[in-house]
Amino acid sequence: AQKITQTQPGMFVQEKEAVTLDCTYDTSDPSYGLFWYKQPSSGEMIFLIYQGSYDQQNATEGRYSLNFQKARKSANLVISASQLGDSAMYFCAMRERGKDYKLSFGAGTTVTVRA
Amino acid sequence: GAVVSQHPSWVICKSGTSVKIECRSLDFQATTMFWYRQFPKQSLMLMATSNEGSKATYEQGVEKDKFLINHASLTLSTLTVTSAHPEDSSFYICSARLINGVNTEAFFGQGTRLTVV
């Protein structure tokens, strides 16, 4: 069974607009963490934002915010004021305490920002 | 943030030869490092968990004799692709976890693009 599901293979967004990337997850572990990474064409994995399962508040990091809906097992990433440099592949990932802290990745969403 | 350095960033090798990829944590000690493989336009697939001072733990379907992992020190893990074939061509990327890190992110190397000809 898929641990992390990203249903949007690709998205286009206009520069300066906001975009929401969907991510749902599946776990029975009460302690887990959710991550979003950006992967530009160079291949490096750039950490964007983290949300812990016990965190009460939604995580925010600059233009990135995570819409964490625990009951729905959803952790959508919102990128505000999109920039051309945001064009990349975005991965949602989960780390479960009971799984030796391994990261499980979703299939990814390719974001293309248009001028 | 913490830095993980992966070397080489790209390599081309002949079929049948072996290739070694290094993953170093530059400013922290990592008892655990992870090796991933990524095909174009696809997700990262965990290959193995590298533990300092002990044998690596391989994911199901990954040939341990094909992908040799050594984690000889707290700052270095190596992945050796033995007798490489064109189907081993892929992007390999490592990550490291801080000792006693709880909620910190995994730190990734820059990745290695392997092409077997």
Side-chain angles (χ1 to χ4, degrees), chain B residues 19-30:
Chain B
V19 174
K20 181 185 283 189
I21 302 170
E22 293 187 346
C23 181
R24 292 181 185 274
S25 55
L26 296 185
D27 52 0
F28 68 100
Q29 294 179 321

Side-chain angles (χ1 to χ4, degrees), chain B residues 1 4 6 9 18-19 23 26 37 41 46 53 62 64 94 102 106 112:
Chain B
V4 175
Q6 191 171 336
S9 55
S18 295
V19 174
C23 181
L26 296 185
R37 183 174 184 176
K41 307 290 186 186
L46 180 66
V62 178
K64 60 181 180 181
C94 68
V102 178
T112 298

Side-chain angles (χ1 to χ4, degrees), chain A residues 35 37 39 41-45 47 50 52 55 89 91 95 100-108 110, chain B residues 34 36 38 41-44 46 49 57 59 91 93 97 101-110 113:
Chain A
F35 301 79
Y37 286 88
Q39 187 180 42
S41 56
S42 59
E44 60 187 309
M45 293 291 283
F47 166 75
Y50 167 84
D55 294 342
M89 194 139 181
F91 290 99
R95 185 172 67 194
D100 298 326
Y101 294 99
K102 299 175 190 177
L103 279 176
S104 299
F105 285 87
T110 300
Chain B
F34 303 94
Y36 296 86
Q38 185 182 29
K41 307 290 186 186
Q42 293 189 24
S43 187
L44 278 72
L46 180 66
T49 303
T57 305
E59 295 299 303
F91 188 69
I93 191 165
R97 187 166 74 87
V102 178
N103 294 329
T104 55
E105 72 273 24
F107 300 97
F108 283 85
Q110 305 94 318
R113 205 166 296 279

Side-chain angles (χ1 to χ4, degrees), chain A residues 37-109:
Chain A
Y37 286 88
K38 171 184 178 182
Q39 187 180 42
S41 56
S42 59
E44 60 187 309
M45 293 291 283
I46 301 169
F47 166 75
L48 297 178
I49 197 166
Y50 167 84
Q51 180 85 42
S53 58
Y54 296 116
D55 294 342
Q56 298 294 320
Q57 305 253 2
N58 284 348
T60 61
E61 288 286 348
R63 295 188 297 113
Y64 305 106
S65 59
L66 200 152
N67 184 2
F68 182 45
Q69 297 188 44
K70 195 170 181 177
R72 296 181 59 190
K73 294 189 174 179
S74 150
N76 298 341
L77 175 72
V78 179
I79 306 173
S80 62
S82 296
Q83 302 171 356
L84 295 177
D86 293 335
S87 294
M89 194 139 181
Y90 289 80
F91 290 99
C92 179
M94 177 173 65
R95 185 172 67 194
E96 300 164 281
R97 184 182 61 184
K99 302 288 184 187
D100 298 326
Y101 294 99
K102 299 175 190 177
L103 279 176
S104 299
F105 285 87
T109 297

Side-chain angles (χ1 to χ4, degrees), chain B residues 4 14-16 24 30 39 41 53 55 66-67 69 72 84 86 88 114:
Chain B
V4 175
K14 289 186 177 179
S15 190
R24 292 181 185 274
F39 291 107
K41 307 290 186 186
K55 290 183 178 179
K66 173 79 172 173
F67 300 100
I69 290 172
D88 298 325
L114 170 64

